[in-house]
Amino acid sequence: MFTLTRAQHQMLADSLENAERGSYIEQIVCNTNDVIDLDLFKRCLSQLTQECPALNLCVFKNDNNNWQQVYNETAIVPLQLVDWSTVKTSRIQKRTSDFLKEDRQVRFRFESNRSLARISFLRLPENKTIWILTFHHIILDGRSLLILYERLLDLYDNMTFDRVSKRTLNKHMGFQRICYDLASRHSRREVAKAFWKQHLRRIPFEQTWATLNPAATQEHVEYPLSEPLAASTRSFAKKNGLPLHLIIEATLGFTLAWCLGKPSLCIGSVRAGRRHLPGELRDCVGMLINTLPIPIIVEDDESALDWLKKMTRFRKELREHEQSTLAEIRSALNLKTDKLLFDTVFVSADREVAAEFNHRFGQQGLREFKFHECTSLPLVVSIGIKPNIQLDFTYDRGSQYRQRMKTLPARFEQVLQSFVDSPEQALKETCLLLPSEQALIKTSNAGATLDFPKHFRLHNWFDQSQKKSSSRIAIIADDTRLDYGQLHDLSLFILSRITRHNHGTGKLIGVLLPRSAQLLGSILAISRSGNTYLPLDTTTPDDRLATFLDKAQPALVITDAESDQRIKNQ
């Protein structure tokens, strides 16, 4: 029995401890064109767990309410055999897809005698087999998975032909040693806190766990970068001494900030966590990766190249603090525990996981690997750079990313092209409009005019749509969904509050609200009242907000409880 690593504890404390927050499940699917001998496979698995029993790892809370992990020989990995050998071939694909999806939704239990992995075999017609390893991410990271699979396939191949394998694994003691070593480090924590406080002080942390959708329906989009742009990006990285991973990640963060309408945001970036380990421990099996908040702060007058170089310097400084926990970072920022440091995670790898498995273990079409991940986060982006540059987006269909995913990949590619072609250009001059959007603007400016009815205001346009389709969804904001009728009623309610406190028309009314249904309802209500709305950004510093209010002198300010005190202090 031994303690958790910093990264493992972080995963529990921040996303997995409460069941309603979802889970972090990994699923590796191996399609084989031969029949797998189940008894032989069990022997291989038994041998593997003796050499490196990570698959028998259990995580639980002890009597002192502290998280512990233990290698429990009785916590055997369950094996399931599903026989579809007589099912019609035309039905196999749909059945397999449904089975995999359901398997990813089955949660693991944190108990001292429960394995956090399971294996399923699907026996198909024509002597084909699919075998599936599903496990909780807390026990294995990507590098460990590759090591285990390499050994498992080596054992199976050798046992099949009655050969004795010359290799063996004995990595689990190394993982225990790392856990104890990390738990004993205290001297650098204050230095790490100062580092995070300095670099994250300008980020407004607004998202909370309550905004996440625990029953998320996830969609997956694969986006390979065009070959000409991939080649020019590699050349740009080499010429300027910039890591290719960083260019892709930073550019995507910049694009995401623009799409979300935020001048600054945090993304979660996965770190390998093995850089500072002694050589003999770098290939130990366990969960050593760590996900840390990376600030994306856009300075309008800064050039793209200077900004990327600044991001590179930050990443180098970050290496000293890559074992920081989110709890420590929150403490440095005095941030409440319900606040999210990020809701988007970027996973960078030399090679995308499925591609790496097929490169290492595929055998002339005999084996084909696929990789699936199930998290409670609205957006996870896997970035692979070998052999080709490809982005894999996994996103929650009910989140703010659903509509943006229609254009986000193409918009990212356009920004990347701009950075590569014009690195000295200021960030504020970067064009984020797609060619179709640019063509639309050119068309509308080519002598065409629109005939707006006189005295026709914003709420009049809205009312026309509301009368035509009152039950259609008008807005999706976090966990709020309103149709046109409900948004209409909300605006009338806010209008009644405006008229109670303000008499007359033609006045300025401030709106200090985050992006939400209440924001749109307030704008419509102000339009109905015959007044003009003054948009106020909730991320604006207090002194700048005071300047706006002093110069504008609004008759009223519509805000929420969180920002009400800021107004009273002005």
Side-chain angles (χ1 to χ4, degrees):
M1 186 181 300
F2 54 101
T3 185
L4 276 64
T5 64
R6 317 290 290 283
Q8 287 178 305
H9 193 279
Q10 169 174 307
M11 290 177 71
L12 283 167
D14 291 294
S15 63
L16 307 175
E17 185 171 349
N18 295 326
E20 64 272 14
R21 289 181 179 172
S23 57
Y24 208 142
I25 291 175
E26 308 285 342
Q27 187 183 67
I28 292 288
V29 182
C30 179
N31 295 283
T32 65
N33 290 324
D34 60 354
V35 177
I36 291 182
D37 185 325
L38 195 57
D39 291 333
L40 183 60
F41 189 93
K42 289 179 180 178
R43 286 170 51 201
C44 296
L45 186 62
S46 175
Q47 175 68 27
L48 182 66
T49 52
Q50 289 178 28
E51 296 180 9
C52 184
L55 295 177
N56 295 122
L57 185 67
C58 303
V59 177
F60 65 100
K61 272 190 174 181
N62 61 20
D63 294 338
N64 296 322
N65 208 35
N66 295 320
W67 286 102
Q68 296 285 322
Q69 57 187 336
V70 61
Y71 289 117
N72 189 337
E73 292 182 1
T74 64
I76 300 172
V77 178
L79 275 72
Q80 175 188 12
L81 175 62
V82 180
D83 191 350
W84 289 345
S85 58
T86 59
V87 176
K88 291 183 178 180
T89 306
S90 58
R91 293 183 174 182
I92 291 296
Q93 185 174 356
K94 177 67 166 58
R95 279 203 179 188
T96 303
S97 177
D98 291 344
F99 181 92
L100 295 176
K101 186 176 180 180
E102 291 173 6
D103 180 60
R104 291 194 294 272
Q105 300 302 318
V106 177
R107 302 182 189 280
F108 289 99
R109 295 169 63 179
F110 293 109
E111 298 176 7
S112 60
N113 60 349
R114 293 277 185 172
S115 172
L116 294 176
R118 56 179 175 263
I119 294 176
S120 301
F121 293 91
L122 308 182
R123 187 161 289 167
L124 310 181
E126 301 176 1
N127 292 328
K128 295 182 179 180
T129 308
I130 297 177
W131 61 281
I132 306 148
L133 170 62
T134 307
F135 63 96
H136 202 298
H137 198 12
I138 199 168
I139 62 171
L140 294 172
D141 57 22
R143 190 162 181 173
S144 300
L145 191 60
L146 287 166
I147 294 169
L148 285 179
Y149 257 82
E150 185 173 32
R151 178 58 176 151
L152 180 60
L153 294 175
D154 175 65
L155 284 169
Y156 188 84
D157 289 343
N158 279 287
M159 287 186 182
T160 300
F161 298 104
D162 292 322
R163 294 194 302 253
V164 177
S165 177
K166 297 179 180 179
R167 293 183 297 175
T168 184
L169 290 178
N170 189 18
K171 309 287 186 181
H172 65 288
M173 292 306 294
F175 182 56
Q176 287 177 305
R177 175 181 160 188
I178 292 170
C179 292
Y180 286 124
D181 179 59
L182 291 174
S184 66
R185 294 183 185 179
H186 298 284
S187 59
R188 299 285 297 173
R189 290 185 183 178
E190 292 304 316
V191 177
K193 284 186 177 182
F195 170 84
W196 292 112
K197 187 174 183 179
Q198 174 190 352
H199 288 283
L200 299 179
R201 67 184 186 279
R202 294 172 57 186
I203 304 294
F205 296 101
E206 300 170 342
Q207 283 271 49
T208 64
W209 283 113
T211 63
L212 297 188
N213 180 12
T217 303
Q218 294 186 326
E219 294 289 338
H220 188 73
V221 174
E222 295 181 359
Y223 192 84
L225 210 61
S226 65
E227 291 186 12
L229 180 54
S232 58
T233 303
R234 292 182 190 278
S235 177
F236 171 76
K238 186 176 181 179
K239 177 182 177 181
N240 294 284
L242 298 171
L244 184 58
H245 278 137
L246 179 132
I247 295 174
I248 303 298
E249 192 174 281
T251 304
L252 185 56
F254 175 89
T255 309
L256 195 61
W258 186 88
C259 289
L260 297 176
K262 297 181 179 181
S264 58
L265 55 76
C266 253
I267 59 172
S269 181
V270 176
R271 317 297 295 175
R274 297 172 184 259
R275 185 185 304 274
H276 299 295
L277 296 179
E280 72 274 11
L281 294 181
R282 288 182 184 173
D283 286 333
C284 74
V285 175
M287 218 296 287
L288 290 170
I289 60 171
N290 201 7
T291 304
L292 296 173
I294 304 297
I296 302 293
I297 300 174
V298 180
E299 304 286 358
D300 286 350
D301 294 325
E302 199 168 19
S303 73
L305 181 58
D306 288 343
W307 183 67
L308 290 171
K309 287 182 176 179
K310 183 174 72 175
M311 293 291 291
T312 302
R313 291 193 295 271
F314 169 75
R315 294 307 178 87
K316 289 181 179 178
E317 294 178 37
L318 176 64
R319 292 173 184 173
E320 296 296 321
H321 312 292
E322 65 180 14
Q323 286 295 336
S324 298
T325 67
L326 296 190
E328 291 170 346
I329 298 172
R330 280 206 182 92
S331 175
L333 301 172
N334 293 320
L335 202 63
K336 294 180 180 179
T337 55
D338 68 326
K339 292 287 186 180
L340 281 171
L341 284 167
F342 46 80
D343 67 0
T344 302
V345 169
F346 292 173
V347 183
S348 297
D350 287 342
R351 190 191 300 267
E352 191 268 330
V353 178
E356 179 65 26
F357 266 77
N358 285 304
H359 172 71
R360 287 201 189 188
F361 310 131
Q363 295 182 350
Q364 294 83 41
L366 183 63
R367 297 182 183 131
E368 179 190 9
F369 291 87
K370 295 182 179 179
F371 174 79
H372 301 280
E373 189 171 67
C374 182
T375 78
S376 59
L377 294 168
L379 177 63
V380 177
V381 185
S382 177
I383 302 170
I385 62 172
K386 291 181 181 179
N388 304 310
I389 299 177
Q390 176 167 315
L391 278 64
D392 291 346
F393 299 86
T394 303
Y395 65 97
D396 171 12
R397 280 199 319 190
S399 74
Q400 60 184 330
Y401 298 107
R402 180 183 182 183
Q403 292 299 322
R404 293 181 174 90
M405 282 307 303
K406 294 179 179 179
T407 60
L408 178 62
R411 211 178 294 280
F412 154 77
E413 186 166 313
Q414 178 153 315
V415 174
L416 181 60
Q417 186 75 66
S418 175
F419 284 2
V420 170
D421 292 345
S422 307
E424 300 299 334
Q425 179 177 272
L427 292 175
K428 64 182 179 183
E429 297 175 4
T430 303
C431 180
L432 290 110
L433 296 176
L434 299 176
S436 58
E437 295 167 335
Q438 296 178 45
L440 182 63
I441 292 174
K442 290 177 182 178
T443 301
S444 62
N445 289 335
T449 60
L450 293 175
D451 184 20
F452 288 96
K454 211 170 184 180
H455 307 303
F456 211 67
R457 297 172 65 86
L458 174 65
H459 68 278
N460 299 127
W461 291 104
F462 174 81
D463 289 346
Q464 281 191 354
S465 298
Q466 188 264 332
K467 289 176 182 177
K468 291 178 182 178
S469 50
S470 178
S471 60
R472 280 180 56 198
I473 293 297
I475 179 173
I476 300 175
D478 296 327
D479 57 347
T480 302
R481 299 168 67 95
L482 297 182
D483 59 33
Y484 276 89
Q486 292 170 323
L487 185 55
H488 176 267
D489 293 342
L490 175 62
S491 70
L492 293 180
F493 171 76
I494 298 174
L495 173 62
S496 69
R497 304 299 295 269
I498 292 175
T499 54
R500 183 188 305 175
H501 295 283
N502 178 55
H503 301 284
T505 60
K507 297 179 182 179
L508 200 61
I509 297 180
V511 181
L512 181 63
L513 290 170
R515 295 163 65 93
S516 60
Q518 288 73 20
L519 174 62
L520 286 185
S522 299
I523 293 172
L524 288 169
I526 294 170
S527 176
R528 293 183 193 282
S529 71
N531 293 290
T532 303
Y533 74 90
L534 170 68
L536 299 168
D537 191 344
T538 55
T539 64
T540 303
D542 288 346
D543 54 348
R544 195 174 180 188
L545 178 62
T547 302
F548 288 159
L549 295 175
D550 182 58
K551 291 187 176 182
Q553 291 294 313
L556 288 174
V557 176
I558 301 175
T559 187
D560 55 13
E562 189 171 345
S563 300
D564 183 50
Q565 192 59 44
R566 296 184 65 194
I567 298 296
K568 291 178 179 178
N569 291 339
Q570 304 304 326

